[in-house]
Amino acid sequence: MEKNNLSNLSHDMTIPDVLSSICDSTSSLVEGCRLPVKMSGSEDWPLAEIISIREEDGKIFYYVHYVDFNKRLDEWVREEDLDTRKVQFPRKDGLTTGQNTNTGISTPKRLISTSRPTSPVHHNLQDVQVNGNTVLQAALQKKINRKRKAPSISSPAIIPATPSTPITPVPSNVTIDEDSQEVPNEKTPRQSGSMVTHHDDVVTRMKNVPLIELGKHRIKPWYFSPYPQELCALDCIYICEFCLKFRKSRKCLERHLSKCNLRNPPGNEIYRKGTISFFEIDGRKNKCYAQNLCLLAKLFLDHKTLYYDTDPFLFYVMTEFDNRGFHIVGYFSKEKESSEDYNVACILTLPPYQRMGYGKMLIEFSYELSKFEGKLGSPEKPLSDLGLLSYRSYWAQTILEILMNQETDGDTDRPQITINEICEMTSIKRDDVISTLRNLNLLNYYKHGQYIVCINKETIDQHKKSMEKRKLRIDPKFLHWTPKDWSKKPRY
């Protein structure tokens, strides 16, 4: 009996001892450690990497990046949100325990994820010197080589556009790249550009702005943006929704609004239908507005690196009008002269207006401009995850709409159209047309290197449903714009 009591007592003592051991082990955690972390708003414990550690009011907080997830989900967590039973400590060679010593790449179960370099320990966020100059310097030093396999079609492809029709042969020698819209050109990106492949550095790894107030919306940023350090230390940055200047308090913003004469973006209004307007802003003539727009956009675009050199770019801002003025909904930028025929450099719909059809409207407007220019266009790569989804959806809807509206050919009793004709009608580049057909599983190999398109009833029904939901469309009749030849140098 006494033996059992001692056994029970010993058992009872091991429970707090184990808990103490787990909690005490957090003291050995350093930046670069990987371990399961409880994600806010869910019951999941995905693998995460500790980016930074700080102490506040006697409590320790950890800034973590969830390895298999987008950086916009990065967050500060508490000690109790960490599972210290499965810690991967960083090694002296810069790798994390469990990584391949030859490649420097860890292999989680879901995805292959490159290891992040460890950064200096900062126990207080105020110790990190973050400003525009350091970000610009870091961006200018990034040179990333990427390869691209370009599709090549020796002759136009003839494509039947109705379901269950007899197959029509397509000329041979057709090479198709399934995901050509995701693969960048084989060249070093320009240092003054607006988009680069994903990279990490000490400055930009952490969100530095807790909250912004833009008009009637309070928005939680997704990524780092080089706003002045003194503003980033505040709980909220207040932004004028018309000129996009930023202030440290609502009182300062109210004083600014009493003096601000703008009630719409500076520049030319080139489109208005109903309450939707588009303004064209020259990055050289309206540099202050363009730079403030880039700072705002960087809060929601991980890949964007253009902040100051706005002269080579045009900005097209979409607004919604009411009795107070023209409120910014989203925008896209494009180079005045693009050697790669990019018709979009960066594109963003602000979070309060997402999932409402504005994103596709921005994309549609960019292609309408390309039609006016008589050029084929494509967005600059790489696209963000949300941007890629929007473009794929737009390309699919646009191409299916054309295929399904084709009239039958008198000779073959089947509607036929070439890929080149689709490109001319939509201003979508051939690479994007082909990859879209492949993503939709519509492009099928026939024989002797020939391809055909077969559209089944399920695809047609899905397309009709999606088009019924798409209420916001661009009407070319309301676009008043003349393309400018930027290759002609102005006289000074």
Side-chain angles (χ1 to χ4, degrees):
M1 186 73 167
E2 184 178 353
K3 185 177 181 181
N4 289 337
N5 288 338
L6 289 173
S7 176
N8 291 336
L9 179 61
S10 175
H11 177 71
D12 292 340
M13 289 181 65
T14 58
I15 295 176
D17 287 344
V18 171
L19 292 176
S20 175
S21 172
I22 293 175
C23 294
D24 288 345
S25 66
T26 59
S27 61
S28 62
L29 295 177
V30 295
E31 293 180 5
C33 286
R34 293 188 175 192
L35 71 169
V37 177
K38 187 176 185 299
M39 182 182 287
S40 296
S42 74
E43 296 300 322
D44 296 330
W45 291 75
L47 181 68
E49 180 177 342
I50 297 176
I51 304 301
S52 183
I53 303 172
R54 76 177 183 191
E55 187 173 349
E56 189 176 295
D57 298 330
K59 296 181 179 180
I60 299 179
F61 294 88
Y62 301 83
Y63 191 85
V64 300
H65 164 69
Y66 298 104
V67 174
D68 292 347
F69 297 85
N70 191 282
K71 273 179 62 179
R72 61 176 166 267
L73 297 176
D74 293 3
E75 60 181 342
W76 288 99
V77 298
R78 303 163 298 177
E79 288 183 274
E80 52 265 36
D81 296 322
L82 307 178
D83 184 354
T84 55
R85 294 170 297 180
K86 302 176 182 178
V87 181
Q88 302 174 17
F89 289 93
R91 300 190 329 201
K92 291 182 180 180
D93 55 9
L95 305 179
T96 304
T97 304
Q99 287 182 308
N100 188 308
T101 56
N102 296 324
T103 63
I105 298 177
S106 63
T107 54
K109 291 181 180 179
R110 290 175 54 191
L111 294 175
I112 296 177
S113 175
T114 55
S115 173
R116 293 171 174 267
T118 58
S119 59
V121 176
H122 297 289
H123 295 290
N124 192 318
L125 282 181
Q126 302 305 318
D127 297 335
V128 184
Q129 295 300 318
V130 178
N131 54 60
N133 290 332
T134 56
V135 176
L136 181 62
Q137 187 64 28
L140 292 178
Q141 292 176 351
K142 292 294 179 179
K143 290 186 177 181
I144 303 171
N145 293 322
R146 294 162 290 158
K147 294 184 178 180
R148 179 189 187 206
K149 180 183 177 183
S152 59
I153 299 181
S154 59
S155 56
I158 307 299
I159 303 176
T162 55
S164 304
T165 56
I167 51 182
T168 301
V170 180
S172 59
N173 301 324
V174 180
T175 303
I176 294 178
D177 184 2
E178 294 188 31
D179 293 310
S180 60
Q181 74 271 25
E182 296 180 76
V183 184
N185 271 339
E186 185 180 358
K187 61 180 291 187
T188 301
R190 63 183 184 281
Q191 293 184 349
S192 62
S194 56
M195 301 284 281
V196 295
T197 54
H198 176 78
H199 66 272
D200 296 315
D201 53 53
V202 174
V203 176
T204 63
R205 294 171 79 182
M206 296 165 51
K207 303 172 190 176
N208 61 329
V209 178
L211 201 67
I212 65 167
E213 184 171 297
L214 181 68
K216 63 181 181 180
H217 302 289
R218 280 205 157 198
I219 313 171
K220 194 172 181 180
W222 295 352
Y223 307 109
F224 166 90
S225 183
Y227 279 96
Q229 176 65 19
E230 59 271 19
L231 292 182
C232 297
L234 302 174
D235 294 333
C236 182
I237 296 179
Y238 297 83
I239 301 175
C240 173
E241 61 179 328
F242 301 114
C243 71
L244 302 184
K245 290 182 178 178
F246 38 87
R247 293 293 183 264
K248 64 180 180 180
S249 68
R250 186 177 282 109
K251 277 192 175 181
C252 292
L253 179 64
E254 289 172 355
R255 285 199 299 269
H256 165 80
L257 289 173
S258 65
K259 302 174 185 178
C260 184
N261 297 321
L262 283 180
R263 287 298 175 266
N264 57 266
N268 300 321
E269 184 180 11
I270 60 175
Y271 179 92
R272 182 190 292 191
K273 183 179 181 182
T275 59
I276 300 295
S277 290
F278 279 85
F279 291 82
E280 181 184 61
I281 293 98
D282 189 325
R284 183 180 65 84
K285 295 180 180 178
N286 301 104
K287 184 170 293 189
C288 182
Y289 180 90
Q291 289 176 345
N292 288 334
L293 178 59
C294 289
L295 286 174
L296 174 63
K298 180 62 188 74
L299 292 170
F300 309 102
L301 293 173
D302 188 22
H303 298 285
K304 187 174 176 60
T305 59
L306 170 67
Y307 311 119
Y308 306 110
D309 185 18
T310 60
D311 290 15
F313 291 86
L314 295 169
F315 298 83
Y316 295 89
V317 179
M318 179 167 63
T319 65
E320 204 165 41
F321 175 77
D322 63 16
N323 57 0
R324 291 181 54 247
F326 294 81
H327 309 279
I328 181 171
V329 171
Y331 90 104
F332 68 87
S333 60
K334 64 183 293 187
E335 289 182 283
K336 296 173 182 176
E337 296 180 85
S338 173
S339 58
E340 304 293 334
D341 292 328
Y342 292 132
N343 63 356
V344 165
C346 289
I347 186 168
L348 170 70
T349 304
L350 291 172
Y353 299 96
Q354 291 180 358
R355 303 182 66 85
M356 298 168 65
Y358 292 107
K360 280 197 182 72
M361 198 174 191
L362 279 168
I363 296 172
E364 186 177 11
F365 190 79
S366 71
Y367 279 106
E368 286 299 329
L369 296 185
S370 295
K371 291 176 185 177
F372 270 63
E373 293 175 310
K375 298 179 180 179
L376 303 183
S378 185
E380 189 173 336
K381 316 304 188 302
L383 291 165
S384 66
D385 56 344
L386 298 179
L388 180 58
L389 289 174
S390 296
Y391 265 96
R392 278 183 171 172
S393 178
Y394 171 80
W395 288 329
Q397 291 180 358
T398 303
I399 294 171
L400 282 172
E401 195 171 21
I402 287 176
L403 295 178
M404 291 170 57
N405 290 334
Q406 289 301 304
E407 297 181 357
T408 58
D409 190 313
D411 297 331
T412 62
D413 198 31
R414 294 190 300 270
Q416 297 187 1
I417 188 172
T418 67
I419 289 180
N420 285 343
E421 287 172 340
I422 295 176
C423 295
E424 291 172 5
M425 295 170 67
T426 62
S427 281
I428 300 174
K429 270 196 151 184
R430 183 186 300 184
D431 295 0
D432 298 329
V433 172
I434 294 173
S435 63
T436 299
L437 293 173
R438 292 300 296 267
N439 288 331
L440 291 172
N441 294 320
L442 301 183
L443 198 57
N444 298 288
Y445 182 81
Y446 176 42
K447 62 181 180 180
H448 306 304
Q450 299 174 339
Y451 290 82
I452 60 168
V453 164
C454 297
I455 308 177
N456 55 39
K457 187 177 185 300
E458 182 181 356
T459 301
I460 294 175
D461 292 340
Q462 289 177 352
H463 172 70
K464 288 180 178 179
K465 288 180 181 178
S466 63
M467 293 306 292
E468 288 174 359
K469 297 177 182 178
R470 189 173 160 188
K471 304 297 182 183
L472 298 175
R473 299 295 300 269
I474 295 295
D475 190 339
K477 296 194 299 291
F478 292 85
L479 176 59
H480 305 286
W481 179 72
T482 302
K484 185 175 180 180
D485 186 0
W486 294 99
S487 62
K488 296 180 180 178
K489 304 298 181 183
R491 293 181 180 179
Y492 294 101

